[in-house]
Amino acid sequence: MRKFFKIALLAICLCLVSNAVAQKYELNAFEKQNKPMLKLLKKQYGTTPEVKLSDDGYFYILLTKSQYKNGPQKYMLIDEAGSPLCPEWLDKYSVLKGGFFYVGQNSGSSTKWGVVDSKGKQILPIRYDNIQQSGALEAGTFTSSSNTYWHPASKGFWLVTDNATSHHAFYSLDGSSVMHEYDGEIKPQLSYFWTIAPKNMLSTGNKKGLLTFDGEIIFPQEYNHFYIEPSGFVNCYKKESDGLSRCGGKMLKGATSDIIVPPLFQDVTYNSSKNAIECKIHRDEEYEVYNPQKSYEVVFRDKGERLYDMGKYQDVITFYEGEGYGIAWGDYYMGLSAEKIAKAEMNKLNSVINTLNDNTNYYLPIQNPDNYKFDAGTISGMYTSAGIYLEKYINSEKISADDPTLAKARKMRGEIITARNNVTKKIEEYGTALRSATAKNIERERKIAEEKALQAQREAAAARAVQQLSSGITNLILGGRRY
């Protein structure tokens, strides 16, 4: 394996050397063939021209000058025939693939940018604060944060931004036409999508839109935020004034791509095994296949169920213990909410235990305890409360025997009792993990201290050596003097 690696490395080095030699040969050949032109350019502009070759094989000539000694440099770009790519001297430039150049001029404290090609054609004038380029892309997959996502095909484009007006435009690659333009704040989402929204949109605002990579509208500016699933399904969310979020969406590929789900649901997703879009109106309902022909309606029993759908579990309990006291289904939602609170705190405890048991990160909860907090009392207390609430609900005479929530309440109550009985064991597991991690951390800190001491000794020894060398040189100089 080591021999193979050496051979592969040698091959790469030879390839790089070969490319460099080939490029040097091409540059020398160009200079030899164009001596009169280069001589004329030097005389015309008063500076020595440099012949350059882009990575994808385009010749260009660079002229550099300063207005005064040690001043900022200015650049002139010349094509291979000797004509300026840009009529004026530039403050900045950058070479792009495909025979394009970013060209920039300073404007106050910022730089304005444009684009020219290797033949001197102006693609975009020098007036934009930011320009991004992309060639045409076929539909395909990409990876982000260890997940694989799908994106639709896109045309090649230039995306330009004018900061003063917050205006953005998608130009065709030849610069001849504007494909799309928008006002507001444009941001990338998952690399191959954009969101567009007014600057400083409120957290409950519904004025955000989603665009494809080349600027096509996927969703108009009528939403609060978007979530893109790996499958190619996009969730769109709208928020109401109290923060309640409702979800819709659409599939970007396949047979279901023409179906647009309105934002009426607690959640919408794509089930790849069924090849179908699924939805549910309330938090703890089962998913059902979305039917475009069906009329869906969002109805809340009361404020408590609305709070539950919003995930405000403590507020649910406060409501039903207060102004909603005595409502038949109050114990049901209080039981579910208490279980959610206990489970969230239990997840924190499990995370701390896992970190303490981790061979690499075991010391983090010891060094940063505020980042690894959990409340054992909340876990135990909320599991107990959840069991009591659900038992009252199961035994309530106000609830019909055929109400489907009773079966769920019984099942949940059994799970809660099991979880509550497991709390003591989890606390003991935490204690064991903490003691083990503390012992390992003491040894770790001892080794760190030893290494620091050794490093200090090495630095002191190096300083003494330098001092002795300096003294020796000084003595040698002084000893060699004649008075």
Side-chain angles (χ1 to χ4, degrees):
M1 177 64 74
R2 187 173 297 175
K3 183 177 180 181
F4 173 79
F5 176 76
K6 287 182 178 179
I7 293 172
L9 184 60
L10 179 61
I12 292 171
C13 292
L14 288 173
C15 182
L16 292 174
V17 170
S18 176
N19 288 339
V21 170
Q23 189 178 66
K24 182 66 175 175
Y25 175 81
E26 290 184 71
L27 289 170
N28 289 339
F30 182 93
E31 290 174 357
K32 186 175 180 179
Q33 293 171 5
N34 294 278
K35 271 187 178 181
M37 178 186 69
L38 296 173
K39 188 175 180 180
L40 183 62
L41 288 173
K42 182 177 181 179
K43 181 178 179 181
Q44 181 179 357
Y45 292 99
T47 184
T48 302
E50 293 181 73
V51 179
K52 301 280 189 178
L53 185 62
S54 69
D55 291 341
D56 49 351
Y58 290 91
F59 283 104
Y60 66 98
I61 301 166
L62 176 66
L63 301 172
T64 306
K65 74 172 185 177
S66 296
Q67 290 181 322
Y68 51 88
K69 188 176 181 180
N70 298 324
Q73 290 185 319
K74 294 275 191 176
Y75 307 98
M76 175 69 73
L77 297 173
I78 306 291
D79 70 13
E80 57 184 319
S83 300
L85 296 181
C86 207
E88 67 245 68
W89 288 86
L90 304 166
D91 292 305
K92 296 177 182 178
Y93 80 96
S94 182
V95 184
L96 301 173
K97 288 184 178 181
F100 294 109
F101 297 81
Y102 284 139
V103 288
Q105 296 283 26
N106 292 337
S107 176
S109 60
S110 64
T111 300
K112 298 296 184 181
W113 293 95
V115 177
V116 296
D117 69 11
S118 60
K119 301 300 181 183
K121 178 186 176 183
Q122 177 182 277
I123 305 299
L124 297 170
I126 303 175
R127 69 180 185 209
Y128 300 106
D129 294 287
N130 189 48
I131 302 176
Q132 298 182 59
Q133 181 222 33
S134 173
L137 297 173
E138 295 182 359
T141 59
F142 64 98
T143 301
S144 178
S145 300
S146 301
N147 288 321
T148 300
Y149 297 88
W150 183 87
H151 68 82
S154 61
K155 301 173 183 176
F157 65 86
W158 300 97
L159 171 58
V160 303
T161 299
D162 184 337
N163 288 342
T165 60
S166 297
H167 186 75
H168 313 274
F170 290 83
Y171 278 88
S172 59
L173 276 183
D174 63 3
S176 64
S177 61
V178 177
M179 300 188 296
H180 311 281
E181 52 188 330
Y182 305 94
D183 291 319
E185 191 170 26
I186 196 165
K187 292 182 178 180
Q189 181 158 340
L190 275 182
S191 302
Y192 289 91
F193 302 89
W194 305 94
T195 59
I196 181 71
K199 274 193 169 182
N200 305 316
M201 187 184 82
L202 296 176
S203 61
T204 54
N206 295 305
K207 296 182 179 181
K208 183 176 288 187
L210 185 69
L211 314 175
T212 62
F213 197 39
D214 57 0
E216 288 276 356
I217 294 176
I218 299 174
F219 287 102
Q221 290 183 242
E222 300 172 0
Y223 298 89
N224 182 265
H225 64 283
F226 305 95
Y227 175 75
I228 300 171
E229 297 183 4
S231 63
F233 187 81
V234 180
N235 294 118
C236 59
Y237 295 86
K238 282 192 175 182
K239 274 192 177 182
E240 299 186 22
S241 57
D242 63 354
L244 176 68
S245 185
R246 306 310 287 174
C247 178
K250 68 177 292 186
M251 190 66 179
L252 298 182
K253 64 174 182 174
T256 56
S257 61
D258 59 336
I259 298 174
I260 300 177
V261 183
L264 298 173
F265 303 91
Q266 173 70 26
D267 190 31
V268 183
T269 189
Y270 182 76
N271 188 322
S272 56
S273 62
K274 295 181 180 179
N275 192 28
I277 298 170
E278 294 187 327
C279 61
K280 61 179 180 179
I281 287 182
H282 294 296
R283 181 174 293 276
D284 280 332
E285 290 180 347
E286 298 296 325
Y287 284 97
E288 63 174 275
V289 173
Y290 176 72
N291 181 359
Q293 309 305 318
K294 179 180 175 180
S295 178
Y296 293 88
E297 185 180 7
V298 183
V299 178
F300 294 100
R301 295 179 178 184
D302 56 20
K303 179 182 175 182
E305 185 182 26
R306 187 180 180 91
L307 289 168
Y308 183 74
D309 264 11
M310 293 168 67
K312 295 184 176 181
Y313 303 122
Q314 188 59 60
D315 290 345
V316 172
I317 296 172
T318 300
F319 172 76
Y320 286 118
E321 290 283 19
E323 60 182 292
Y325 184 78
I327 294 177
W329 50 82
D331 287 318
Y332 176 70
Y333 286 112
M334 284 194 290
L336 297 183
S337 296
E339 188 270 344
K340 289 284 197 301
I341 295 170
K343 192 172 183 178
E345 210 65 28
M346 178 63 86
N347 288 339
K348 293 180 186 178
L349 172 56
N350 283 325
S351 177
V352 175
I353 292 171
N354 290 336
T355 305
L356 290 169
N357 287 332
D358 185 84
N359 291 329
T360 303
N361 298 318
Y362 61 87
Y363 63 92
L364 292 177
I366 300 168
Q367 286 193 342
N368 306 290
D370 288 344
N371 296 336
Y372 293 87
K373 287 182 177 180
F374 66 91
D375 191 326
T378 296
I379 299 173
S380 181
M382 281 297 170
Y383 273 139
T384 299
S385 296
I388 293 171
Y389 287 135
L390 292 177
E391 187 166 354
K392 285 176 62 180
Y393 182 73
I394 292 166
N395 295 322
S396 174
E397 295 180 355
K398 299 178 182 179
I399 307 303
S400 172
D402 59 357
D403 192 309
T405 60
L406 281 175
K408 181 168 183 178
R410 292 189 186 98
K411 181 175 180 293
M412 182 67 73
R413 180 177 172 276
E415 293 173 354
I416 286 169
I417 291 173
T418 301
R420 184 184 64 197
N421 292 338
N422 193 41
V423 172
T424 301
K425 181 182 176 182
K426 275 290 178 184
I427 297 298
E428 291 174 353
E429 187 179 342
Y430 163 74
T432 301
L434 180 61
R435 286 191 295 273
S436 175
T438 301
K440 287 197 291 186
N441 189 54
I442 290 171
E443 179 63 17
R444 169 182 165 274
E445 291 183 340
R446 183 188 66 78
K447 289 181 179 179
I448 291 173
E450 285 182 354
E451 180 57 36
K452 285 183 177 179
L454 287 172
Q455 181 64 26
Q457 290 175 13
R458 287 192 288 266
E459 290 174 357
R464 286 195 298 271
V466 171
Q467 186 176 12
Q468 289 171 1
L469 179 61
S470 177
S471 298
I473 293 172
T474 302
N475 291 336
L476 182 62
I477 294 172
L478 291 176
R481 287 184 177 177
R482 294 292 182 266
Y483 296 93

